[in-house]
Amino acid sequence: MTDGPRLRGNASADGDTLSSESTEEGSGRVALKKEIGLVSACGIIVGNIIGSGIFVSPKGVLENASSVGLALIVWIVTGVITAIGALCYAELGVTIPKSGGDYSYVKDIFGGLAGFLRLWIAVLVIYPTNQAVIALTFSNYVLQPLFPSCFPPENGLRLLAAVCLLLLTWVNCSSVRWATRVQDVFTTGKLLALGLIIIMGFVQICKGEYYWLEPAHAFETFQPYDIGQIALSFLQGSFAYGGWNFLNYVTEELVDPYKNLPRAIFISIPLVTFVYVFANIAYVTAMSPQELLASNAVAVTFGEKLLGVMSWIMPISVALSTFGGVNGSLFTSSRLFFAGAREGHLPRLLAMIHVKRCTPIPALLFTCISTLLMLCTSDMYTLINYVGFINYLFYGVTVAGQIVLRIKQPDLYRPIKVSLVWPVIYLLFWAFLLLFSLYSEPVVCGLGMAIMLTGVPVYFLGVFWDNKPQCFNTFIGMETIFTSDDAHYYDP
């Protein structure tokens, strides 16, 4: 072979983890390189948690909490609960050091079907819809200044969102280092923008503008307290911290994961909690609760009130934040699909890695194409509502798996071993929110479950059924050979 293969497969039916040392030389195996250091690891967590929400609409928590004081308590409590969940994931991440995050943990602990359903809902809806929405938010904030008196045209929004996705997919296909540098730069940018908001808030407090922070007024309700709405505010707060588990999807690419995975979690989650709480404090120094609830873009309104001619900084910050969010989501979702293909739960083609670049190009193209298809539908927001419940359901299932693993394999080597008090606390909070979701929106939750359960026949036909017709296996093999110059798979 003169030119050598461009792509090489590393799929394994038993899901063996490949180390970065076994690359082109030596055994001939190709694996994802360990190129993500501590700074980039923190960038992945912070960049995926902080999207456009804190800039655009942090009012979901306030609206349901009914007072500024309780809303701030909700932000703090949900941040603490997120930190507890991340602590549990840290133990699982170093105990089961595979890329794929909660999919890999659920599969190893509860079996193939449970893991496949987690993967199925992520492939079918969660990642394509979330990435499409973030890309559309980016395009909206880029185009809005060009259309000051009206909304940007829908086709223009979708076209720019598609360009954003294609550009970032190319970056991620080209180099892991480029992708992490993009993530680092844009995460730094959004933190600087939020830092400006927080500093302006402190300036306001120094000027005596803290009416809504005084205890006498902070708990002054603009509508009567309602236990159902308070529970909903906690649910909204929990969703705002979504993305805290994304670093676990790229465990195999972390430099020294036993140290850097927990370190990144311990740095990032408190940082995000600090930013969320103090950004909301800053908002209420410049706006009343009523003004905040009436605003469709809170950070932009805040900038118009306090920054004057520099108010353009806020919409640009939102655009940069969402651009980085798309990059982080593409990076992590492709690793999830790569891990699923390596375990035999997705076509083997998606487990292939470029020999020279060591990037999972087929998995990246797959997540890009599925997101572009979502841009063509008008139902993506409805789908997000349906599967948000399922996504949260699997957080609890994964944390419960930590307890199950302790019982089933008590002597398993655990570089990090947290007290079982923490997963119990997390599960109690999780169960409260889950039961409330079922009670308040049974139809939405039921449809989410139905979408997830469509994966059951797919699992039994595509994964569990060993004696497939030869023509089916031949077709899959032809597809893989057609897409790459050469491919090698490591079967047990």
Side-chain angles (χ1 to χ4, degrees):
M1 191 176 300
T2 55
D3 297 328
R6 296 186 57 79
L7 291 169
R8 187 166 293 176
N10 69 343
S12 170
D14 58 353
D16 288 340
T17 302
L18 302 181
S19 67
S20 63
E21 289 76 19
S22 57
T23 52
E24 295 98 337
E25 299 174 355
S27 68
R29 284 176 145 187
V30 180
L32 299 170
K33 284 186 177 180
K34 292 184 180 292
E35 294 190 76
I36 302 175
L38 180 59
V39 173
S40 294
C42 293
I44 288 172
I45 297 176
V46 174
N48 277 292
I49 295 178
I50 302 177
S52 62
I54 191 64
F55 295 101
V56 180
S57 56
K59 58 186 181 182
V61 172
L62 177 61
E63 185 176 20
N64 292 291
S66 302
S67 72
V68 171
L70 185 57
L72 293 175
I73 291 172
V74 169
W75 283 110
I76 295 169
V77 170
T78 49
V80 171
I81 294 297
T82 298
I84 292 172
L87 190 64
C88 298
Y89 268 63
E91 178 183 315
L92 287 169
V94 296
T95 305
I96 307 173
K98 295 181 181 179
S99 291
D102 37 26
Y103 156 71
S104 294
Y105 313 147
V106 169
K107 176 191 172 295
D108 284 4
I109 297 169
F110 295 109
L113 177 58
F116 180 82
L117 291 178
R118 174 69 183 102
L119 181 66
W120 175 252
I121 201 72
V123 169
L124 196 65
V125 181
I126 291 174
Y127 274 106
T129 51
N130 282 341
Q131 287 163 183
V133 168
I134 298 170
L136 283 172
T137 305
F138 162 78
S139 59
N140 184 54
Y141 274 85
V142 170
L143 294 179
Q144 189 61 61
L146 304 178
F147 299 88
S149 59
C150 62
F151 294 109
E154 190 69 24
N155 289 337
L157 290 173
R158 294 179 187 273
L159 180 61
L160 184 57
V163 171
C164 167
L165 286 162
L166 290 170
L167 173 62
L168 288 173
T169 299
W170 173 77
V171 170
N172 277 268
C173 288
S174 299
S175 168
V176 172
R177 193 174 299 277
W178 287 10
T180 55
R181 291 297 176 269
V182 168
Q183 192 67 20
D184 294 345
V185 169
F186 283 90
T187 299
T188 302
K190 70 179 73 176
L191 286 176
L192 289 174
L194 286 165
L196 176 61
I197 291 173
I198 292 169
I199 290 170
M200 293 299 296
F202 279 119
V203 171
Q204 285 286 95
I205 291 172
C206 292
K207 290 180 178 179
E209 300 290 339
Y210 49 79
Y211 177 86
W212 292 105
L213 298 176
E214 296 175 348
H217 304 120
F219 293 93
E220 184 179 311
T221 60
F222 46 84
Q223 62 185 14
Y225 284 126
D226 179 80
I227 186 64
Q229 287 187 316
I230 292 172
L232 192 56
S233 71
F234 277 102
L235 194 61
Q236 294 275 355
S238 297
F239 288 156
Y241 285 93
W244 55 267
N245 60 327
F246 279 14
L247 186 61
N248 292 70
Y249 291 163
V250 297
T251 304
E252 292 172 36
E253 293 172 84
L254 280 175
V255 176
D256 196 358
Y258 295 127
K259 291 182 179 178
N260 285 331
L261 178 61
R263 283 177 181 173
I265 288 170
F266 297 153
I267 293 170
S268 303
I269 304 300
L271 175 61
V272 172
T273 304
F274 173 86
V275 167
Y276 274 8
V277 171
F278 281 91
N280 279 279
I281 288 174
Y283 288 148
V284 296
T285 63
M287 292 177 278
S288 68
Q290 290 75 17
E291 287 177 304
L292 198 150
L293 292 174
S295 173
N296 289 322
V298 175
V300 174
T301 305
F302 179 88
E304 290 171 351
K305 281 179 169 285
L306 299 184
L307 297 178
V309 294
M310 300 297 289
S311 60
W312 53 267
I313 291 175
M314 286 302 119
I316 288 179
S317 298
V318 177
L320 295 178
S321 178
T322 50
F323 189 81
V326 174
N327 180 72
S329 188
L330 283 170
F331 186 87
T332 53
S333 63
S334 62
R335 272 57 179 181
L336 173 61
F337 301 158
F338 163 83
R342 187 178 60 187
E343 300 284 355
H345 285 177
L346 288 175
R348 293 186 300 174
L349 173 65
L350 300 183
M352 300 185 75
I353 299 171
H354 194 280
V355 169
K356 294 181 180 179
R357 298 187 175 99
C358 290
T359 55
I361 291 178
L364 281 161
L365 294 177
F366 176 78
T367 187
C368 178
I369 292 169
S370 62
T371 305
L372 290 173
L373 290 174
M374 275 296 170
L375 285 176
C376 300
T377 177
S378 59
D379 296 327
M380 67 180 89
Y381 293 97
T382 305
L383 288 170
I384 286 177
N385 289 334
Y386 289 157
V387 302
F389 165 79
I390 303 301
N391 200 32
Y392 199 68
L393 170 69
F394 273 103
Y395 288 165
V397 171
T398 306
V399 173
Q402 180 188 11
I403 300 174
V404 172
L405 194 63
R406 286 281 190 92
I407 296 170
K408 289 170 63 176
Q409 300 185 48
D411 299 324
L412 187 65
Y413 175 63
R414 294 173 172 85
I416 298 175
K417 191 172 183 179
V418 303
S419 169
L420 287 180
V421 171
W422 300 119
V424 169
I425 291 173
Y426 183 87
L427 288 172
L428 289 173
F429 183 82
W430 167 82
F432 164 71
L433 292 186
L434 210 65
L435 290 172
F436 172 76
S437 297
L438 285 168
Y439 173 76
S440 60
E441 295 184 312
V443 175
V444 170
C445 294
L447 287 171
M449 290 289 290
I451 293 172
M452 180 187 70
L453 292 175
T454 59
V456 174
V458 177
Y459 173 79
F460 282 104
L461 289 173
V463 179
F464 188 77
W465 183 22
D466 288 329
N467 299 319
K468 298 181 182 69
Q470 185 59 39
C471 59
F472 178 83
N473 294 325
T474 302
F475 171 76
I476 296 297
M478 292 281 291
E479 174 197 27
T480 302
I481 293 170
F482 175 77
T483 315
S484 62
D485 294 330
D486 191 18
H488 299 280
Y489 293 94
Y490 297 88
D491 296 316

